[in-house]
Structure formats: structure tokens, C-alpha cells
């Protein structure tokens, strides 16, 4: 089964659309775990109205590691019942149409991590800040060329993991969305099987982004440098 982890922060305008997209575009057996920071989050009343309208299970879990996206993702990982875990955002930016193909890569082809890639052939990004896009693309493509890293898009949070791999990696990230980069870098150094699938990322049309580029850049740089460490033999 696939556990989809979705951190939210006042996503009342988007959550019902996201659940509809999950229902329409994903055929793999799944549960959806919506992780929120505080009881007053406006996502929750909307979710409560639709929670029993779909055949797959929808669960809400309160973030118990402390507020913020990173801790919400950690909470989702801990609560996941599936043997495979996907992280996606509630802002409808991620391409859920590729999820079944990602799932097959793990369950049929034996990969440990599958990365949705905006910067490989066939992938693209629509909208979003140009500087953020440039730096993200530069990080991914340079690691691919200089380190033979198995994805062109190391910074994208839209990744699917074999849960066993998540249980083997000690998370050190402190904030933001850096956890996705940390996990794939550490898995690479441990010789895990990693691949990528082209995806189209579309900037959100409702709500506001919680991404803080300048605040989190040092953390991303930390894991970029860490990727050049020696791999295990």
C-alpha cells in the first residue's frame, strides 16, 4: 500500500481539489495522511466534510515534532502504514498523474526511491520565482554531472520512498523542506537504488507558499556538499 503524506497550513482552498486529484489520478492502493500543525487550521473543517466520500482512507494527524513542514513530513513518515511513502503538497503543484508509475518503479523494478524530476528530459516547471528555479536546477544538474547523482532534481520534495529506507536513515534536517534532499543524498551514499521520472511542477494558484529560500539555503547547501562524501563500499 502507498501512504501519501501531505503537510498542510491553512489549505482550505486546495484540500478538496487535492483529494479529488488523488481519487482521479491514482489507481494504486493508498491512504492519504494530512498533517496539520494546530487545531484551528482551516483545512480541517473542509477535510471533515469529505473524509468519508472516497474509497481510500483519509486520516488527519497533528504534527507532534513541532510546527513546520519538515516536522509535519516526519510525523507523516512515522504514521504511515504503507510499505511505500510519497510526499506531496496540498497546493496542487505536483503531478499526481505519475504516481502509479513511481509506485511500479519501487514494487516491480526494485528501486528504493523514485524522484519526480522537473529538470530531466520531459520534465518542466511552470511559474514560480526565477531565482529559486535557477538555483534548484543548478544544484540538481551539477550533482548529476559532477557526482553522477541518479536524479537531475535533488531538491524536489515530490519523492516516493520505500519505507524500509526511511527507517534506516537518521534525519538531521532542522527546518523547511530540506528533508527531501537529505534523504536522497544519504540514500545515495548508502548505495540505495534511486531513479527519476519526469514531472511537471505548476506554481500554486491558491493560498501562499511557505518556502523561505534565503532562510533555508544554507541547509540545502549543507546537503549539496554532503553528496560529495565517499559512498559506502
Amino acid at each position: 500500500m502507498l501512504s501519501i503524506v501531505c503537510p498542510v497550513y491553512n489549505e482550505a482552498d486546495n484540500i478538496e481539489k487535492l483529494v479529488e486529484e488523488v481519487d482521479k489520478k491514482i489507481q494504486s492502493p493508498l491512504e492519504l495522511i494530512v498533517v496539520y500543525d494546530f487545531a484551528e487550521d482551516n483545512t480541517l473543517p473542509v477535510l471533515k466534510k469529505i473524509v468519508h466520500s472516497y474509497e481510500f482512507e483519509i486520516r488527519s494527524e497533528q504534527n507532534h515534532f513541532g510546527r513546520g513542514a519538515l516536522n509535519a513530513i516526519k510525523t507523516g513518515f512515522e504514521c504511515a502504514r504503507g510499505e511505500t511513502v510519497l510526499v506531496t503538497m496540498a497546493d496542487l503543484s505536483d503531478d499526481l498523474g505519475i504516481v502509479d508509475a513511481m509506485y511500479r518503479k519501487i514494487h516491480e523494478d526494485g528501486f528504493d526511491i523514485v524522484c519526480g524530476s522537473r529538470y530531466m528530459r520531459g520534465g518542466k516547471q511552470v511559474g514560480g520565482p526565477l531565482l529559486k528555479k535557477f538555483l534548484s536546477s543548478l544544484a540538481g544538474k551539477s550533482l548529476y554531472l559532477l557526482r553522477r547523482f541518479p536524479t537531475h532534481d535533488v531538491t524536489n520534495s515530490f519523492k516516493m520512498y520505500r519505507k524500509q529506507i526511511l527507517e534506516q536513515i537518521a534525519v538531521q534536517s532542522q527546518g523547511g523542506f530540506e528533508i527531501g534532499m537529505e534523504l536522497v543524498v544519504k540514500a545515495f551514499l548508502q548505495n540505495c537504488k534511486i531513479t527519476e521520472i519526469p514531472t511537471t511542477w505548476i506554481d500554486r494558484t491558491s493560498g501562499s507558499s511557505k518556502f523561505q529560500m534565503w532562510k533555508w539555503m544554507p541547509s540545502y547547501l549543507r546537503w549539496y556538499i554532503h553528496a560529495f562524501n565517499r559512498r559506502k563500499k
Side-chain angles (χ1 to χ4, degrees), residues 5 11 44 53 61 77 81 84 97 108 176 178 180 201 218:
V5 174
E11 292 285 2
L44 300 180
S53 302
E61 299 282 352
F77 286 166
R81 297 170 182 163
T84 310
E108 296 178 12
E178 61 171 296
W201 182 92

Side-chain angles (χ1 to χ4, degrees), residues 53-232:
S53 302
Y54 297 87
E55 293 185 4
F56 54 88
E57 183 179 9
I58 303 172
R59 290 191 285 131
S60 58
E61 299 282 352
Q62 185 161 10
N63 185 344
H64 53 252
F65 286 107
R67 291 192 177 192
L70 183 145
N71 288 319
I73 292 170
K74 287 170 59 180
T75 296
F77 286 166
E78 187 176 89
C79 295
R81 297 170 182 163
E83 67 279 4
T84 310
V85 183
L86 173 75
V87 175
T88 191
M89 301 301 134
D91 58 10
L92 306 173
S93 295
D94 295 321
D95 180 9
L96 298 182
I98 69 168
V99 169
D100 286 334
M102 297 171 83
Y103 190 78
R104 289 192 295 271
K105 285 287 185 182
I106 290 179
H107 288 272
E108 296 178 12
D109 299 335
F111 286 97
D112 297 309
I113 299 177
V114 183
C115 306
S117 179
R118 297 163 290 183
Y119 309 130
M120 69 181 294
R121 185 186 298 271
K124 64 179 178 178
Q125 177 172 329
V126 180
L130 292 178
L131 181 58
K132 175 186 170 185
K133 177 180 179 180
F134 170 76
L135 293 174
S136 174
S137 175
L138 178 64
K141 291 179 179 178
S142 61
L143 278 184
Y144 179 82
L145 292 172
L146 299 175
R147 192 65 174 98
R148 297 185 179 179
F149 208 77
T151 175
H152 293 74
D153 194 353
V154 67
T155 61
N156 197 356
S157 295
F158 187 48
K159 296 182 175 77
M160 187 179 292
Y161 308 88
R162 191 183 299 276
K163 190 175 182 184
Q164 182 181 6
I165 298 301
L166 295 176
E167 294 170 344
Q168 294 173 359
I169 297 176
V171 174
Q172 297 173 279
S173 295
Q174 297 298 312
F177 295 93
E178 61 171 296
I179 185 172
M181 186 171 182
E182 177 190 2
L183 289 170
V184 75
V185 165
K186 287 185 172 179
F188 169 73
L189 296 176
Q190 293 178 15
N191 295 306
C192 295
K193 292 186 66 178
I194 303 168
T195 191
E196 61 181 348
I197 290 180
T199 189
T200 298
W201 182 92
I202 302 174
D203 193 26
R204 67 161 61 231
T205 57
S206 297
S208 59
S209 173
K210 309 304 181 292
F211 191 89
Q212 302 174 56
M213 185 175 69
W214 297 113
K215 179 180 178 180
W216 296 335
M217 186 177 294
S219 300
Y220 283 93
L221 183 59
R222 172 191 182 187
W223 299 118
Y224 181 90
I225 295 170
H226 191 72
F228 288 90
N229 287 352
R230 182 175 297 180
R231 300 181 73 183
K232 289 184 177 180

Side-chain angles (χ1 to χ4, degrees), residues 32-36 44 47-48 51 58-62:
L32 176 63
I33 305 169
V34 177
V35 188
Y36 61 96
L44 300 180
L47 197 65
K48 186 176 180 180
V51 68
I58 303 172
R59 290 191 285 131
S60 58
E61 299 282 352
Q62 185 161 10

